[in-house]
Amino acid sequence: MCGTPAYAAPEIVAAARRGSGGGVDSGGPQYGPEADCWSLGVVAFTLLAGHPPFYADTDAALYGAIAAGRADWGDPIWGEVSEGGKNFVRALLTVDPASRLTAAGALEHPWLAERDAGLESRPSGALAFRRASSLAAGRARA
């Protein structure tokens, strides 16, 4: 498997565990836009929470969390995020690719489609930005 493990969709993890490889040039199973939508969910989660949804000390544990869809929703920041925002991320981080929010569905999702001029001034946005800045600076939460 290539790429950043924390962004891998469950179907990619499952293929890697089976040893069937995958990816564009491997001759293994090809992955469609559903896997990209999962990765978008990882990015959205990270932007909102200030840390990635899946974390583990070993790759095997990380892949197990991804395969089971066990994202870290325990951070108090999620109390500051609207139900629409949480729904958007959960719909992208759906383990079953056939049930996962599509790219077109993401663009049409009410939370993403909202045009809230005051969004950037909300406390959760500022807190998430500070957390993401710390993560980028290598001071990720323990």
Side-chain angles (χ1 to χ4, degrees):
M1 185 165 61
C2 67
T4 305
Y7 292 83
E11 58 270 26
I12 294 173
V13 169
R17 285 179 162 180
R18 288 190 307 269
S20 58
V24 177
D25 297 322
S26 70
Q30 299 298 305
Y31 303 101
E34 300 86 1
D36 294 332
C37 290
W38 174 274
S39 298
L40 174 61
V42 172
V43 170
F45 185 109
T46 304
L47 289 172
L48 289 169
H51 61 84
F54 306 99
Y55 174 81
D57 292 330
T58 66
D59 282 349
L62 175 64
Y63 296 148
I66 291 169
R70 287 189 314 265
D72 177 11
W73 293 98
D75 194 309
I77 189 69
W78 291 107
E80 306 263 341
V81 176
S82 70
E83 287 305 313
K86 289 183 266 194
N87 175 275
F88 177 74
V89 175
R90 281 190 181 105
L92 289 165
L93 294 180
T94 299
V95 172
D96 176 13
S99 300
R100 193 174 300 147
L101 188 64
T102 64
L107 290 172
E108 295 170 1
H109 191 279
W111 182 73
L112 193 62
E114 287 177 2
R115 303 292 184 244
D116 184 348
L119 187 62
E120 66 279 356
S121 66
R122 291 185 182 163
S124 61
L127 179 57
F129 178 76
R130 284 194 307 275
R131 287 182 168 190
S133 296
S134 293
L135 181 67
R139 295 184 304 269
R141 65 184 181 85

